[in-house]
Amino acid sequence: MSDSFTSTARKSSTTTHVLSLADGAIHYTAIAEWQPLYEREKAIAEIFHVAYLVDHQGSTPRPLTFVFNGGPGAASAYLHMGALGPKRIAFGEQGDLLRPPVNVVDNLESWLSFTDLLFVDPVGTGFSRAVSPEKEEAKADEKPKSEKPEEKETEFWEVERDLKALGEFIQNFLSKHNRWLSPIFIAGESYGGFRVAKLARKLQQEFGVGLSGAILISPALEFSLLEGTDYNLTTWATVLPSMAGSAAHHNRAQLAGENLQTHLAAAESFARKTLIPLLAMGDALPEDERQQAYQQCANLIGLPVTLVARHGGRIGIEVFARELLRDQQRIVGLYDASITAIDPFPDRPLYEGTDPTLDGLDRLFTGAINSHLRGTLGVETNLTYHLLNFDTFKAWKFELKGGLKQGFIGAVDDLRVGMTLNPYMQVYITHGLFDLVTPYFASNHLADLMKLNPAVRPNLTIRHFQGGHMFYTWEASRHQWFGEMMQFYNRAIA
């Protein structure tokens, strides 16, 4: 590996901090820097990351967790400033967005209590960029005339190339900081959960990195479950329980049982035992049986039975979000259907406003991460921090292996292989109950199809919390999740 790149590398920042908790203070060092990736001894990219390393005097190394978000095209700021890092954004009790400006507070549920943390921004997100050969000798912190993606950068916007870059980054970090003997964990949210499932195999099989644990947060594991059509069945069934839970939250469902959990259980049973056969039989099912099923569905998800019948039981998430509270001229969020917003165009046939649970968060996380990096951690750069890079999202390539390029890409097979390659690795999958985009029941359904050997099945934990895609913005859910993760880490390294 060439050392010539170090002379033009961007300026890193190392600072020391204290996180005060009820049971004592955590003294830690924060390292914010760019780590180059090389190809044929030439730098081809600079991966920006922030590491939080606790001052540790013990004889055994602390766990180290690599964290990334999804998109693809999302920076790690969501988990960094929303749940895991030493500082977090202040939300309302149930994830409500508070008035500007954003308020950043000490995170008493930071995972620094039980693991060192490393937040990674893949190429094209955050401050991470590809390096063009002709710019390698340029001034390190010179802002380019345009930050539009170049051909060199788009090379990283593909499933396998992205995984390879992350694998190389992890290898290099472990070597640079002498952490090869630490218990290693990986955690990812949304498409980041897809990355975790893939890396659970690839890191161990191709990069020699043994894993103690893998945490998948609101993951999208099989892309075939994300797009419903007239000709598939499972998509409609896996999202229905999230609709039922959201309807119950807004007091629009005819509650099946005494509480939310019994209502969800009824919706899950309906989805598997009634909805899938209904969709599978289509017009072959007698009319009276179809109408009975439509009525059951309407009661569970809080929509008029005429609407359910008109859609043939195939209720899309956009339809649900628009129609559930239509009489109040409000819509619910796709990423968190517990959150509502005023419908700016109530008289139009299709919803034309924005999603309050995605677009509404940008102002919070953009302000928080820029203040934290540039102020608290002392990062000096003229680069724009790409919180969610839509150029990356739109250009991403999902290329399948083999000669035929049809179908959808998935990650469950890789997770299964990773769990058998290393029968000691613990896996934790978690969702928000009101997330319509990556619904919790999809992961439940996939877990039931994994055919895990009895020797490794206990290594898989599935747990869901009230809230949406970022359920940790809910006060109670974040507290519960923190307690569970502390137990998870203790179990994984025991």
Side-chain angles (χ1 to χ4, degrees):
M1 180 180 294
S2 172
D3 291 329
S4 61
F5 188 80
T6 57
S7 62
T8 60
R10 301 184 188 277
K11 184 180 179 181
S12 64
S13 175
T14 300
T15 51
T16 58
H17 309 267
V18 179
L19 176 60
S20 297
L21 304 176
D23 57 352
I26 297 178
H27 297 260
Y28 64 93
T29 299
I31 304 172
E33 63 182 354
W34 287 261
Q35 179 173 290
L37 293 183
Y38 293 93
E39 187 173 273
R40 297 177 182 175
E41 298 188 352
K42 291 185 178 180
I44 57 172
E46 297 170 311
I47 306 297
F48 181 76
H49 58 283
V50 177
Y52 297 105
L53 310 176
V54 172
D55 299 346
H56 179 60
Q57 305 300 325
S59 58
T60 57
R62 273 172 59 88
L64 174 63
T65 303
F66 293 87
V67 183
F68 25 81
N69 270 86
S76 61
Y78 295 98
L79 287 173
H80 189 169
M81 302 300 297
L84 276 58
K87 299 283 188 179
R88 67 169 178 83
I89 296 169
F91 288 90
E93 187 176 353
Q94 294 187 350
D96 311 275
L97 307 185
L98 305 181
R99 67 174 60 191
V102 60
N103 184 23
V104 177
V105 299
D106 286 343
N107 184 10
L108 304 185
E109 294 80 45
S110 171
W111 288 14
L112 275 181
S113 293
F114 47 82
T115 178
D116 289 348
L117 293 166
L118 196 148
F119 296 93
V120 187
D121 292 337
V123 175
T125 73
F127 292 143
S128 298
R129 302 290 189 270
V131 176
S132 299
E134 63 272 15
K135 295 182 180 180
E136 186 175 343
E137 300 302 326
K139 185 179 178 181
D141 211 13
E142 181 180 353
K143 186 173 182 178
K145 294 180 181 179
S146 172
E147 289 201 38
K148 293 182 179 180
E150 300 181 5
E151 183 178 352
K152 190 69 177 176
E153 192 151 276
T154 61
E155 291 180 11
F156 291 90
W157 297 349
E158 185 270 327
V159 173
E160 291 299 322
R161 186 66 186 90
D162 170 70
L163 297 172
K164 182 174 184 288
L166 289 172
E168 291 173 349
F169 170 85
I170 290 172
Q171 271 191 332
N172 293 341
F173 186 90
L174 294 177
S175 295
K176 179 178 179 179
H177 294 272
N178 193 26
R179 296 298 295 265
W180 279 96
L181 298 184
S182 296
I184 304 301
F185 293 75
I186 51 176
E189 180 178 55
S190 196
Y191 183 83
F194 177 90
R195 283 179 169 128
V196 167
K198 288 278 191 182
L199 288 171
R201 175 180 184 171
K202 186 175 286 287
L203 282 176
Q204 301 184 120
Q205 190 173 23
E206 299 180 19
F207 292 92
V209 179
L211 296 174
S212 295
I215 301 107
L216 294 75
I217 306 158
S218 302
L221 293 174
E222 294 289 322
F223 281 82
S224 62
L225 297 183
L226 297 184
E227 187 68 33
T229 71
D230 286 344
Y231 313 109
N232 67 13
L233 313 177
T234 313
T235 301
W236 309 105
T238 54
V239 74
L240 185 133
S242 292
M243 294 180 180
S246 303
H249 176 79
H250 292 290
N251 299 313
R252 288 304 176 102
Q254 292 189 19
L255 206 60
E258 299 179 353
N259 53 41
L260 176 63
Q261 291 303 322
T262 55
H263 188 69
L264 290 172
E268 294 168 10
S269 178
F270 172 83
R272 279 178 162 164
K273 297 180 180 179
T274 303
L275 183 59
I276 286 180
L278 165 72
L279 300 179
M281 292 191 68
D283 292 341
L285 190 70
E287 178 66 19
D288 60 335
E289 293 185 39
R290 280 209 304 274
Q291 291 303 320
Q292 184 179 0
Y294 294 154
Q295 186 64 62
Q296 285 181 267
C297 183
N299 293 344
L300 287 166
I301 66 173
L303 296 183
V305 66
T306 53
L307 186 149
V308 174
R310 185 166 70 249
H311 288 273
R314 292 174 167 84
I315 307 300
I317 61 176
E318 293 86 359
V319 170
F320 178 83
R322 180 78 186 285
E323 298 296 335
L324 183 67
L325 302 176
R326 191 181 182 96
D327 59 331
Q328 300 177 7
Q329 294 190 8
R330 300 190 73 86
I331 55 98
V332 302
L334 298 178
Y335 287 86
D336 185 348
S338 71
I339 293 178
T340 69
I342 297 171
D343 186 346
F345 310 109
D347 58 327
R348 298 185 184 178
L350 300 177
Y351 178 65
E352 299 181 24
T354 59
D355 180 9
T357 53
L358 182 61
D359 299 319
L361 291 169
D362 278 1
R363 65 174 174 84
L364 297 181
F365 281 94
T366 299
I369 192 65
N370 274 286
S371 173
H372 184 63
L373 294 179
R374 300 176 191 274
T376 305
L377 301 188
V379 176
E380 298 179 8
T381 179
N382 291 324
L383 292 173
T384 299
Y385 189 90
H386 292 322
L387 178 70
L388 185 57
N389 190 341
F390 283 101
D391 287 330
T392 305
F393 180 82
K394 291 183 289 186
W396 200 264
K397 296 179 182 178
F398 295 89
E399 294 189 356
L400 299 171
K401 295 180 180 179
L404 299 176
K405 302 297 183 181
Q406 299 171 335
F408 292 92
I409 197 165
V412 176
D413 279 359
D414 296 280
L415 183 60
R416 291 167 70 174
V417 172
M419 294 182 71
T420 55
L421 275 174
N422 176 4
Y424 302 101
M425 179 179 67
Q426 297 291 314
V427 177
Y428 188 103
I429 300 176
T430 183
H431 288 261
L433 294 172
F434 310 135
D435 180 3
L436 305 180
V437 177
T438 59
Y440 79 91
F441 197 53
S443 289
N444 289 25
H445 168 72
L446 292 170
D448 289 339
L449 301 179
M450 287 175 70
K451 302 180 179 67
L452 293 175
N453 186 280
V456 297
R457 180 60 184 85
N459 295 345
L460 175 61
T461 300
I462 301 179
R463 177 83 161 88
H464 310 307
F465 300 90
Q466 290 199 58
H469 200 67
M470 292 183 284
F471 59 85
Y472 44 78
T473 63
W474 283 47
E475 195 77 20
S477 296
R478 187 176 62 256
H479 282 278
Q480 294 166 12
W481 189 37
F482 173 75
E484 288 220 354
M485 294 315 300
M486 184 175 292
Q487 295 175 16
F488 175 80
Y489 273 74
N490 288 338
R491 185 168 63 251
I493 64 177

